[in-house]
Amino acid sequence: MRIKMLFATIALIMLSSAAYPQTPVAGAENALYILVNQARQAQGLPSLRRNGSLVKAARRHAVIMAEHGTAQHDFDGEPDLSTRVKNTGARFSSLSENVTQGPTAEFIHSQFMHSPPHRSNILDTDMDSVGIGVIEKNGKLFAVEDFSHAQ
């Protein structure tokens, strides 16, 4: 049953992609969303739902990372993760974040899955929502995955 649902989801994504061509950034965000949920499903975990407020927070932080040319969780003068997410209107009881940079969504996801703390965030059983933001600068993708247990 899961395999049928996965194929149906992939077919729907392919059809919508053909009708509405995506930018490389939107394609990377969607690919990471699919890869995160595939990793969770492979472990018997429920899929995370996309949360617009988390997406907004993740994209804003990805912009700042691209401006600095490096991936990190906080920059001088920038609010911390909790404040950034609250400023977008998200309500949560728990929160975590993955950040990195790389050439493709698949490379980025592989980096996360081979890093125990990042993998733990992706597979956290307490999380039910995700927002993914990707910004491209000089051929490099800056990616942020914000996870939460929404209230």
Side-chain angles (χ1 to χ4, degrees):
M1 182 70 168
R2 276 190 192 167
I3 294 174
K4 288 181 184 178
M5 289 175 55
L6 178 61
F7 284 127
T9 302
I10 291 170
L12 182 60
I13 290 168
M14 290 173 67
L15 287 173
S16 66
S17 295
Y20 304 100
Q22 295 183 357
T23 65
V25 168
E29 287 178 351
N30 285 330
L32 285 169
Y33 179 70
I34 290 166
L35 291 166
V36 162
N37 280 322
Q38 285 176 344
R40 290 178 62 82
Q41 290 167 358
Q43 298 297 314
L45 299 172
S47 294
L48 299 173
R49 67 179 174 271
R50 201 175 264 154
N51 178 294
S53 294
L54 292 176
V55 169
K56 188 181 294 184
R59 285 179 180 160
R60 286 178 181 171
H61 187 62
V63 166
I64 293 170
M65 291 190 331
E67 289 171 353
H68 284 86
T70 187
Q72 60 187 57
H73 293 282
D74 298 296
F75 292 92
D76 287 341
E78 181 188 25
D80 66 3
L81 172 62
S82 179
T83 304
R84 290 193 314 258
V85 171
K86 286 178 185 173
N87 286 344
T88 66
R91 295 176 49 144
F92 55 88
S93 59
S94 56
L95 190 62
S96 64
E97 181 178 67
N98 288 347
V99 300
T100 196
Q101 59 192 28
T104 66
E106 293 75 15
F107 178 88
I108 287 167
H109 182 71
S110 178
Q111 278 187 308
F112 286 150
M113 293 304 289
H114 286 94
S115 163
H118 295 102
R119 179 184 175 89
S120 177
N121 287 341
I122 290 170
L123 301 178
D124 189 334
T125 58
D126 290 335
M127 301 302 180
D128 61 16
S129 303
V130 66
I132 298 172
V134 176
I135 297 296
E136 185 274 333
K137 183 175 180 185
N138 299 327
K140 190 180 299 183
L141 299 176
F142 293 84
V144 178
E145 296 176 343
D146 287 339
F147 303 93
S148 81
H149 181 90
Q151 287 185 327

